[in-house]
Amino acid sequence: MRSYTLIAPAKINLYLEIIGDRSDGYHELVMILQSIDLADEIHLQAGSIDAIRLRCNYPELPTDRGNLAYRAAELMTVKFPVAYAKYGGVDINIQKRIPIAAGLAGGSANAAAVLVGIDLLWNLGLTLTELEQLGSLLGSDIPFCVGGGTAIATGRGEQLSPLNALDNIYIVLGKYRSLEVSTAWAYKTYRQQFGETYLRDTESLAARAAAVHSGSMVKAIVNRDPKEIAEKLHNDLERVVLPEYPQVLQLRETFAAAGVLGTMMSGSGPTVFGICESQQQAEQVKTRVRETIPDKDLELFVTQTITHGVQLTVNR
């Protein structure tokens, strides 16, 4: 049976600004997203029966519609019924390395890999844009996870403008395994506390989104300057998450004290990352953070920025 193995990288937010409300209930956002080489491995194989079957090495993750990867496969059966009838179901095996509920888009990356894998399994010949459009039907981060690299994301996060991709900038990540922050809670709380600052008219929203394209963070990325990038890190959601979750605040402060160029929470958290000058420094920071916070519940990773999203590794 034909099968494909794909690598599904995580992402971090280098920039996250909430600029307004949307009529669909989501927030109008301006973000700069960056792929990192911490990744899950997704194996897809043509199924022997007309069904979707999903397995995962994390027993706490659902293997039905509660999993974005399952819903991605389900979407493909609906959108391409002729191919589904011809090729049959799909078996999906997820080997997770990205921490779950971490603000790193692990579930979205898995879903993106399933879209890419089924496109290959069923010989659909979809373009990158078509795969991104399919992903946007499932979640805001999925379109970015398909192609990855470095991009400005606007709208609710699904409208992408690629930037010169960054690679080989070393990052340290920290996440308490048992700690989760609800994305819905974070955005709802931000609206409650800071909704009066939102831009209200379409022209102002468009102008603010456009301003980021020529802003200081984009210039730092174009210059490929880790120090400058670290100085421009910004995440509005820290304003509600850090006061509510002292562990996240402590971790952020510990990263700063360990000598990183800059540190911030990714997305709605609770993962904190620090930008480093080199792999050697990243390893040193990891050691210092571990010595300061010897909690076994704290997971620490050294990773680096990469220029791509989902990638094929093995096929037959």
Side-chain angles (χ1 to χ4, degrees), residues 257-297:
V260 296
L261 297 176
T263 182
M264 191 174 74
M265 183 182 77
S266 182
S268 58
T271 297
V272 172
F273 69 89
I275 296 178
C276 299
E277 292 188 85
S278 64
Q279 183 177 9
Q280 180 182 14
Q281 189 201 21
E283 294 290 352
Q284 291 171 347
V285 167
K286 179 183 175 183
T287 299
R288 289 173 189 153
V289 173
R290 176 63 70 198
E291 289 172 349
T292 304
I293 308 177
D295 189 338
K296 293 181 180 179
D297 192 48

Side-chain angles (χ1 to χ4, degrees), residues 7 9-10 35-37 145-150 165-166 306-311:
I7 300 300
S35 298
I36 56 176
D37 72 353
C145 290
V146 174
T150 312
L166 291 170
I306 55 175
T307 61
H308 59 82
V310 174
Q311 281 201 322

Side-chain angles (χ1 to χ4, degrees), residues 142-302:
I142 299 173
F144 172 76
C145 290
V146 174
T150 312
I152 298 176
T154 55
R156 56 181 171 84
E158 85 288 4
Q159 300 170 22
L160 301 174
S161 299
L163 296 170
N164 293 335
L166 291 170
D167 59 353
N168 301 318
I169 293 178
Y170 280 90
I171 306 285
V172 184
L173 300 173
K175 196 261 179 183
Y176 287 96
R177 188 179 291 106
S178 62
L179 183 62
E180 299 182 11
V181 176
S182 164
T183 300
W185 169 86
Y187 279 101
K188 180 181 177 182
T189 304
Y190 191 91
R191 180 185 281 118
Q192 290 170 345
Q193 295 185 16
F194 305 106
E196 73 280 356
T197 67
Y198 289 2
L199 299 175
R200 302 297 176 185
D201 62 279
T202 303
E203 288 186 7
S204 296
L205 290 168
R208 180 64 202 129
V212 174
H213 286 254
S214 58
S216 56
M217 175 59 89
V218 171
K219 291 177 182 176
I221 290 170
V222 171
N223 293 335
R224 301 178 60 81
D225 185 337
K227 291 182 180 179
E228 194 178 350
I229 292 168
E231 290 172 359
K232 305 303 181 185
L233 295 173
H234 176 82
N235 184 349
D236 275 341
L237 290 176
E238 286 191 328
R239 299 174 73 183
V240 295
V241 175
L242 296 184
E244 188 71 20
Y245 292 88
Q247 280 180 293
V248 182
L249 176 59
Q250 181 201 21
L251 185 56
R252 192 186 189 287
E253 292 173 341
T254 303
F255 268 58
V260 296
L261 297 176
T263 182
M264 191 174 74
M265 183 182 77
S266 182
S268 58
T271 297
V272 172
F273 69 89
I275 296 178
C276 299
E277 292 188 85
S278 64
Q279 183 177 9
Q280 180 182 14
Q281 189 201 21
E283 294 290 352
Q284 291 171 347
V285 167
K286 179 183 175 183
T287 299
R288 289 173 189 153
V289 173
R290 176 63 70 198
E291 289 172 349
T292 304
I293 308 177
D295 189 338
K296 293 181 180 179
D297 192 48
L298 176 62
E299 297 178 300
L300 294 168
F301 307 85
V302 170

